[in-house]
Amino acid sequence: MVIKILGSGCANCEKLERVAREAADSLGIEAEFVKVTDIAQIMAYGVMTTPALVVDEQLKVAGRVPGVADVEKMLESSNASDAGGAPAAGGCGCGGSCC
């Protein structure tokens, strides 16, 4: 699993990375963490407000720092989708938290 943190490297970006790492560790998921700071690359995901979290090239959240439990749900839904499971509610991968 590849987890990308999109943003300038501000305090909220750092916090999102910590939350995502904690969630992955809690679930026992091995992940590669990538920081994306290039504005053109960030905008390619359709992100206008950072920080943002991308899991396996799917945008999960932008413009806020979710809690560890929320990120765990996002990672679990990505794992389920990778394993042939049903897509998350709303089809966006957030588990219904954005709808």
Side-chain angles (χ1 to χ4, degrees):
M1 177 177 286
V2 177
I3 298 174
K4 294 182 180 179
I5 309 300
L6 282 55
S8 64
C10 67
N12 279 336
C13 297
E14 298 297 325
K15 183 176 179 182
L16 179 57
E17 182 179 0
R18 283 192 305 274
V19 167
R21 286 183 183 274
E22 184 176 336
D25 288 345
S26 173
L27 295 171
I29 294 173
E30 287 191 34
E32 174 186 353
F33 284 82
V34 178
K35 293 181 183 180
V36 179
T37 58
D38 180 73
I39 191 70
Q41 290 178 358
I42 292 170
M43 291 181 71
Y45 287 98
V47 171
M48 298 304 220
T49 308
T50 61
L53 179 70
V54 173
V55 179
D56 291 336
E57 295 305 312
Q58 291 190 347
L59 179 65
K60 298 295 183 177
V61 67
R64 66 183 180 90
V65 179
V68 174
D70 292 330
V71 175
E72 286 174 352
K73 290 176 189 174
M74 293 173 200
L75 298 180
E76 287 175 329
S77 71
S78 289
N79 262 354
S81 294
D82 289 346
C92 69
C94 75
S97 64
C98 71
C99 303

